[in-house]
Amino acid sequence: MAASKMMQFVAVPQTLPHKRSVEERVQDFGEIYDRFRPERAAEQASRCEQCGIPFCQIHCPLHNNIPDWLRMTAEGRLEEAYELSSATSAMPEICGRICPQDRLCEGNCVIEKGFNSVTIGTVERYINDTAFEMGWVKPPVPLRERNGSVAIIGAGPAGYSAAFELRRKGWQVDVYDRYDRAGGLLMYGIPGFKLEKEVVVRRTRLLEEAGVRFHLGCDVGAPGQPSFAELRARHDAVFIGTGVYKARALQVPGVGLPGVVPALHYLTASNRKSLGDEVAAFDDGSLNAAGKHVVVVGGGDTAMDCVRTAIRQGALSVKCLYRRDKENMPGSMREVKHAEEEGVEFVWLSAPEAFVGEARVEAVRAVRMRLGAPDSTGRQSPEQVPNSGFRLPADLVIAALGFDPEDHLAMFGEPELKVSRWGTITIDWSTMQTNLEGVFAGGDIVRGASLVVWGVRDGRDAAAAMHRYLLNRTAEHDALATAA
């Protein structure tokens, strides 16, 4: 397509890739969208207005060069589009799948109001999946090898991003993760219908081919495992990107009944089963929704992952209980739409009051809510409607209220590591460094539970800061050696 054929949003309607039918997609955990055909990807990319102030780029945490690679796609310059797409992101093929584009780039597209936004995420996925198929994606090869080494704790989005950028600059990189597979949340927390696991494995292989060493099943600070102090002594710098995995507890009677489970336990069991693992808690039914009435409590993207997983497992009914209304839901509206299509019932403006049952949970006793006065953030606070109780049958209740940091002082055995009152690691944002010399951190363990793309951004920023730190350290070492 010629360069003059941009700004086609008036003549060309927004079109997404073919979406599998509900009847087909609920039978498996495959991704629900097909990939764009080349001519369709070029056509949709040509809808970009090429505006002077690209709000899509501004509202992307990575500040991806979106208008430029859209234009290249429209002009058929796909390899150049890939090079530009990957210049700012260590995993564009993953972000293209799981970023909530409706809240970020696409939601801020200047043509959104009258003509629907450019389908940025699906074009990004098309560019980078094509790049893998064509063999354009190569392991990062540094211009020169450097002697310094870096330890990265956590093989999730922030750790992947930091490892990619540091290896590209020539540093020796070792990644330590307590799980048996790399990927963290990407592997065990996000269902396959949003992110097929081969996509994550493919990215891991690329890092391994680049020379990144993964130490899996390595729980830093645990008995018989390397201590945090040992890693600091072994490496010239350390990056902490462990994420947050401690479920926020429901503070209602009956929360301890069998059948009331945290979201991540449920999703991890499902993902492991899909990967072919033996999962006792899934096989004995305690983390399996098949044949059950399921109630998910929460309104974020994790709650959407849970309800859509339960549908695929063969639940008798799936209800999502959320204390605010649809307009105030924090999760992606696209995910809500997918869930509604697949048969999930949303019970808006409702909250659990108690879980009831004898040997295990049998029902949720809930109460109606209404939105009251705004709080300090400007968001209306939910308040209980008097005498509005009702009951929902439930054989499985999944708590999806978000995540908090674990006790990293206990995990790492490092009492000097400074943390906030919320348990997140405190850093100097100008350097991404903690209060400990040569120790950096980023992602959810610093921000609190957030988006994958922010983890990628923090890993990239921390890698740049660590590169500067290591260069200065090397220069000081060389100066001392010369003086001696």
Side-chain angles (χ1 to χ4, degrees):
M1 185 173 291
S4 61
K5 294 297 185 180
M6 297 302 291
M7 296 181 281
Q8 295 297 302
F9 60 91
V10 175
V12 177
Q14 183 197 72
T15 303
L16 290 167
H18 174 261
K19 183 164 62 171
R20 295 196 293 153
S21 69
V22 170
E23 294 75 20
E24 178 188 356
R25 72 191 197 225
V26 299
Q27 300 301 317
D28 59 48
F29 282 84
E31 292 181 8
I32 70 171
Y33 283 107
D34 294 336
R35 206 168 84 205
F36 269 141
R37 298 190 306 276
E39 63 275 12
R40 185 67 70 190
E43 177 190 74
Q44 289 300 300
S46 76
R47 298 182 71 245
C48 177
E49 191 181 356
Q50 298 287 290
C51 50
I53 301 176
F55 289 101
C56 58
Q57 183 172 357
I58 292 169
H59 288 273
C60 170
L62 292 165
H63 301 312
N64 287 330
N65 300 308
I66 296 168
D68 291 337
W69 51 251
L70 285 173
R71 182 174 184 134
M72 290 174 180
T73 302
E75 294 173 354
R77 298 156 59 193
L78 209 59
E79 188 168 2
E80 293 173 79
Y82 157 69
E83 293 290 349
L84 200 58
S85 171
S86 60
T88 51
S89 176
M91 50 182 73
E93 77 285 1
I94 291 175
C95 289
R97 286 169 160 83
I98 64 175
C99 271
Q101 287 96 3
D102 55 332
R103 286 155 49 192
L104 298 172
C105 54
E106 294 178 19
N108 290 280
C109 177
V110 298
I111 67 172
E112 167 69 27
K113 295 304 178 187
F115 299 92
N116 293 318
S117 64
V118 179
T119 54
I120 296 168
T122 51
V123 174
E124 181 179 35
R125 174 190 166 188
Y126 166 77
I127 291 168
N128 288 280
D129 282 353
T130 302
F132 270 102
E133 287 185 0
M134 298 298 292
W136 300 335
V137 184
K138 305 292 185 184
V141 178
L143 294 177
R144 56 170 291 192
E145 292 288 347
R146 303 181 189 275
N147 293 326
S149 71
V150 174
I152 294 175
I153 306 176
Y160 265 42
S161 181
F164 180 85
E165 299 294 342
L166 286 163
R167 186 68 198 111
R168 183 154 63 177
K169 294 181 187 300
W171 302 105
Q172 311 308 307
V173 180
D174 289 80
V175 179
Y176 300 84
D177 195 272
R178 60 182 168 178
Y179 292 107
D180 56 340
R181 293 182 179 92
L185 179 73
L186 303 173
M187 182 61 72
Y188 290 129
I190 298 176
F193 51 77
K194 286 171 63 176
L195 176 63
E196 291 179 355
K197 300 313 166 187
E198 175 54 32
V199 177
V200 184
V201 172
R202 184 175 64 184
R203 179 57 61 174
T204 304
R205 283 199 300 263
L206 196 71
L207 290 172
E208 289 175 329
E209 290 168 9
V212 174
R213 294 177 290 270
F214 285 89
H215 307 269
L216 302 177
C218 182
D219 192 357
V220 176
Q225 300 284 350
S227 69
F228 189 69
E230 286 175 24
L231 289 194
R232 292 186 69 193
R234 187 183 302 170
H235 299 279
D236 299 293
V238 176
F239 174 75
I240 303 172
T242 50
V244 292
Y245 293 99
K246 182 181 177 183
R248 291 177 186 160
L250 285 162
Q251 303 294 332
V252 297
V255 72
L257 281 170
V260 180
V261 302
L264 193 57
H265 289 189
Y266 173 70
L267 293 172
T268 299
S270 177
N271 279 314
R272 281 193 173 278
K273 196 65 182 176
S274 295
L275 287 162
D277 293 352
E278 292 184 9
V279 185
F282 185 94
D283 293 331
D284 70 13
S286 57
L287 289 177
N288 187 349
K292 296 178 181 177
H293 295 288
V294 178
V295 174
V296 177
V297 181
D301 288 337
T302 300
M304 297 306 96
D305 292 344
C306 291
V307 294
R308 297 182 65 202
T309 294
I311 289 287
R312 284 160 174 75
Q313 289 178 351
L316 293 177
S317 68
V318 181
K319 293 180 173 63
C320 182
L321 202 64
Y322 182 56
R323 61 181 182 163
R324 290 187 168 92
D325 58 11
K326 187 174 184 178
E327 289 68 32
N328 284 280
M329 197 170 187
S332 167
M333 284 299 105
R334 286 181 184 171
E335 287 299 302
V336 174
K337 182 181 178 181
H338 295 329
E340 289 175 330
E341 290 172 348
E342 291 166 5
V344 175
E345 179 184 344
F346 286 86
V347 188
W348 307 110
L349 290 166
S350 302
E353 195 174 41
F355 303 123
V356 295
E358 296 298 328
R360 60 179 293 108
V361 69
E362 298 171 7
V364 178
R365 195 169 72 232
V367 63
R368 301 292 179 187
M369 308 294 286
R370 62 189 172 204
L371 297 180
D375 59 19
S376 59
T377 66
R379 195 178 187 200
Q380 286 181 280
S381 300
E383 55 188 39
Q384 185 173 325
V385 176
N387 304 314
S388 63
F390 63 100
R391 189 181 176 104
L392 295 172
D395 306 305
L396 178 64
V397 175
I398 303 170
L401 300 180
F403 305 97
D404 290 319
E406 297 172 281
D407 185 353
H408 282 74
L409 297 184
M411 178 183 292
F412 296 144
E414 181 49 76
E416 298 301 318
L417 183 62
K418 186 177 180 181
V419 298
S420 70
R421 61 191 177 94
W422 299 282
T424 53
I425 294 176
T426 301
I427 64 170
D428 178 344
W429 282 100
S430 66
T431 64
M432 304 296 289
Q433 191 166 191
T434 70
N435 64 304
L436 300 179
E437 175 71 19
V439 178
F440 300 76
D444 288 0
I445 193 54
V446 172
R447 295 179 178 272
S450 186
L451 301 175
V452 165
V453 67
W454 279 111
V456 178
R457 163 71 182 271
D458 286 354
R460 186 186 73 185
D461 290 352
M466 295 170 77
H467 177 62
R468 292 191 296 270
Y469 170 84
L470 291 165
L471 287 179
N472 289 336
R473 178 171 171 159
T474 302
E476 291 172 5
H477 178 272
D478 291 345
L480 289 172
T482 301

